[in-house]
Amino acid sequence: MKNGKTWPNGRDDEMIYLYGLIPTAEVVKSPLPSIKGLDDDERAYTIPINDVTAVVCRLNSDKYSEEILQQKMENDMDWLKEKAFHHHETLAALYSGYTVIPLKFGTIYNSEESLKETIAPKNNVLIHTFETLKRHEEWNMKVYCDDQKLMQHVTDHNEVVEQKRQEIESLPKGRQYFEKKKLDKFISQQLEEEKYRLCKSVHDQLVQYATNEAVKKNWGKDMTGLQESMVWNSAFMLPKETIEEFLEEIKKSEPALLEKGLRVEVSGPWPPYHFSSIS
């Protein structure tokens, strides 16, 4: 995101990278520690905007123009992973000491003035968001699948598959070959349906403990580095008093899922990436 004019109190070739927002009262009580900026030559610093304080760093527009950033994001995966990880680590460090509204990776303003013009009118809404976030935590649940193990379970225990298998065995030998080919495709379809059914069942059980929830896009193996496929990825906004019950519910679900080849990974608390916004 890019907005505004030129840097009012510095060089015209400087822009502002925005990590997130924190309550001004918390920064007054506990000043920001030293944090490296997105560019190694810079450090993060704060810009107070009424009751909200922005955590930012300066960027040189010759190195971080909108066009250059777009090219990097599309063509340089190593750079993207390094900078996205820095963004996440910075927000995690802030979250350990402050109430944080995290911004998406790549949120850039052309000037301090344009940043203030965006944030200042939202002061009351943001204060309300901070108050909500103080009483909640974001937790994530990801489910990974051993396809071979679940396939075996579907093949052995799915009643519809068993019925079709018996129907095929009653056919003349010549037709059995072609019908078995169709059966393999049918089992694959049942496999995908079973993945969804099992994961959604767990997700729906967990919703009762949350004030908000979201199902996110699954990550590919190139991102996870795992042999298993990620088959479910969800986030929950949990009141602090329900977190223990939430975790206990997941524990109760795990044995039956593992038996079928599904492994649950729960993590948190995280900065509230999915449930806070300055839009």
Side-chain angles (χ1 to χ4, degrees), residues 7 10-11 13-17 19 32-45 56-61 63-64 83 86 90:
W7 182 265
R11 304 196 316 265
D13 63 351
E14 287 181 322
M15 303 183 302
I16 291 181
Y17 183 89
Y19 293 102
L32 190 75
S34 178
I35 299 174
K36 185 180 74 172
L38 191 75
D39 189 324
D40 290 340
D41 296 333
E42 297 289 344
R43 309 299 295 180
Y45 67 100
V56 305
C57 70
R58 289 190 176 109
L59 293 178
N60 188 303
S61 61
K63 294 168 62 178
Y64 292 93
K83 298 304 183 184
H86 163 79
T90 301

Side-chain angles (χ1 to χ4, degrees), residues 106-119:
T107 302
I108 297 176
Y109 288 82
N110 275 355
S111 70
E112 180 176 331
E113 191 60 33
S114 65
L115 172 60
K116 289 180 177 180
E117 287 172 359
T118 300
I119 302 302

Side-chain angles (χ1 to χ4, degrees), residues 163-209:
Q163 184 180 346
K164 283 190 173 291
R165 186 184 288 111
Q166 290 177 9
E167 290 174 1
I168 290 171
E169 288 175 357
S170 68
L171 295 173
K173 294 292 184 185
R175 284 190 59 191
Q176 284 189 17
Y177 174 79
F178 296 103
E179 293 301 322
K180 284 180 179 178
K181 289 288 186 185
K182 292 180 184 178
L183 180 63
D184 290 341
K185 184 177 180 181
F186 179 77
I187 291 174
S188 295
Q189 291 172 343
Q190 291 297 305
L191 173 71
E192 295 306 314
E193 290 178 12
E194 185 72 352
K195 284 180 189 176
Y196 179 81
R197 185 188 70 78
L198 291 168
C199 292
K200 189 172 189 306
S201 176
V202 177
H203 178 91
D204 289 348
Q205 281 293 108
L206 297 173
V207 166
Q208 64 182 307
Y209 304 107

Side-chain angles (χ1 to χ4, degrees), residues 109-174:
Y109 288 82
N110 275 355
S111 70
E112 180 176 331
E113 191 60 33
S114 65
L115 172 60
K116 289 180 177 180
E117 287 172 359
T118 300
I119 302 302
K122 306 177 190 294
N123 186 78
N124 292 341
V125 173
L126 292 171
I127 289 302
H128 176 74
T129 301
F130 285 134
E131 290 304 314
T132 300
L133 294 179
K134 286 176 184 177
R135 302 190 301 271
H136 292 75
E137 292 181 358
E138 177 174 317
W139 286 73
N140 298 155
M141 181 187 74
K142 295 177 174 61
V143 183
Y144 299 89
C145 183
D146 180 336
D147 280 359
Q148 288 188 334
K149 192 169 183 179
L150 183 58
M151 177 73 81
Q152 190 64 52
H153 173 81
V154 170
T155 303
D156 293 344
H157 300 286
N158 186 293
E159 292 181 3
V160 181
V161 170
E162 180 57 30
Q163 184 180 346
K164 283 190 173 291
R165 186 184 288 111
Q166 290 177 9
E167 290 174 1
I168 290 171
E169 288 175 357
S170 68
L171 295 173
K173 294 292 184 185

Side-chain angles (χ1 to χ4, degrees), residues 22-31 48 50-53 98 127 130 134:
I22 55 183
T24 298
E26 293 184 10
V27 186
V28 170
K29 190 179 294 185
S30 178
N50 301 325
D51 298 317
V52 179
T53 290
Y98 307 96
I127 289 302
F130 285 134
K134 286 176 184 177

